[in-house]
Amino acid sequence: MAEIAKKKKNLFERFANWATIATGSSGAFLTAVSVIVVWGITGPIFHYSDTWQLIINTGTTIVTFLMVFLIQKSQNKDSKAVHLKLNELLASHQGASNRMVDIEEMNEQELDQLHKFYVQLSILAEQEDDLTCTHSIDAAEENHNAKLTILKTKPHYNAHKLKLRSKKSN
């Protein structure tokens, strides 16, 4: 049973790959242009009738409807392949954060927050003298914790914390 489903999946996969390649070719474009030219030339023969117009409208609607699914299938496959390649790069690079693997599963708000973080990292990176200096989420968190440890020893930090506590109690 599973083998039959696999063959059907492979059949659709093969058809989708073939159709994507075929419809994205110069030949397919020239065929579409030819159909439109022939349709336009036949207009006077059919006195630009409603049936004549209906033929092109129906044909283009059907082709468009089916192409949406083929394009989506192709984009899904391509997107998955790109994500896997990026995940491999992240996993293999010593300085990269593994937290970025499967980032596409985050919601929009989490992605926006992460984007703001990387904008900040970009600003910090522009200030670096060393162009090879890398930043990652993990390195930034480590740097932040180190700075926070030093900051906690400063008198103004503790005074500010006391001020915040007194405001909360009021």
Side-chain angles (χ1 to χ4, degrees):
M1 184 73 167
E3 200 164 307
I4 293 171
K6 187 176 180 182
K7 282 185 179 181
K8 285 182 181 180
K9 182 179 178 185
N10 288 339
L11 179 65
F12 178 70
E13 182 85 22
R14 286 193 311 250
F15 172 75
N17 290 339
W18 171 83
T20 301
I21 291 167
T23 57
S25 68
S26 300
F29 178 76
L30 291 175
T31 301
V33 169
S34 299
V35 167
I36 292 170
V37 168
V38 168
W39 172 78
I41 290 171
T42 60
I45 296 168
F46 293 105
H47 307 289
Y48 301 102
S49 68
D50 289 343
T51 304
W52 173 80
Q53 290 179 21
L54 187 62
I55 288 171
I56 197 70
N57 288 341
T58 304
T60 55
T61 300
I62 291 169
V63 169
T64 302
F65 179 74
L66 294 174
M67 287 305 296
V68 165
F69 295 103
L70 285 175
I71 291 168
Q72 189 62 51
K73 169 81 171 134
S74 177
Q75 285 182 336
N76 288 348
K77 183 178 177 184
D78 186 53
S79 176
K80 188 180 286 186
V82 168
H83 284 292
L84 289 169
K85 289 175 183 179
L86 289 173
N87 287 346
E88 174 62 19
L89 289 173
L90 286 170
S92 67
H93 189 275
Q94 180 66 29
S97 173
N98 287 339
R99 293 180 190 191
M100 301 306 283
V101 174
D102 286 339
I103 192 172
E104 60 274 6
E105 300 299 322
M106 289 183 164
N107 66 37
E108 195 72 27
Q109 185 179 9
E110 292 169 329
L111 289 173
D112 289 342
Q113 183 178 0
L114 198 55
H115 175 74
K116 289 176 186 175
F117 174 78
Y118 275 103
V119 168
Q120 272 307 115
L121 277 183
S122 173
I123 292 167
L124 291 173
E126 288 174 3
Q127 297 170 357
E128 291 285 338
D129 292 333
D130 182 7
L131 293 176
T132 62
C133 182
T134 62
H135 297 279
S136 72
I137 292 174
D138 295 327
E141 188 174 320
E142 193 176 301
N143 291 341
H144 173 74
N145 288 336
K147 289 177 186 177
L148 194 57
T149 301
I150 293 169
L151 187 62
K152 286 180 179 179
T153 64
K154 305 288 182 182
H156 70 275
Y157 177 82
N158 290 322
H160 181 70
K161 279 185 76 172
L162 287 173
K163 213 187 273 188
L164 287 175
R165 283 186 194 151
S166 67
K167 283 183 181 179
K168 283 184 181 178
S169 63
N170 290 336

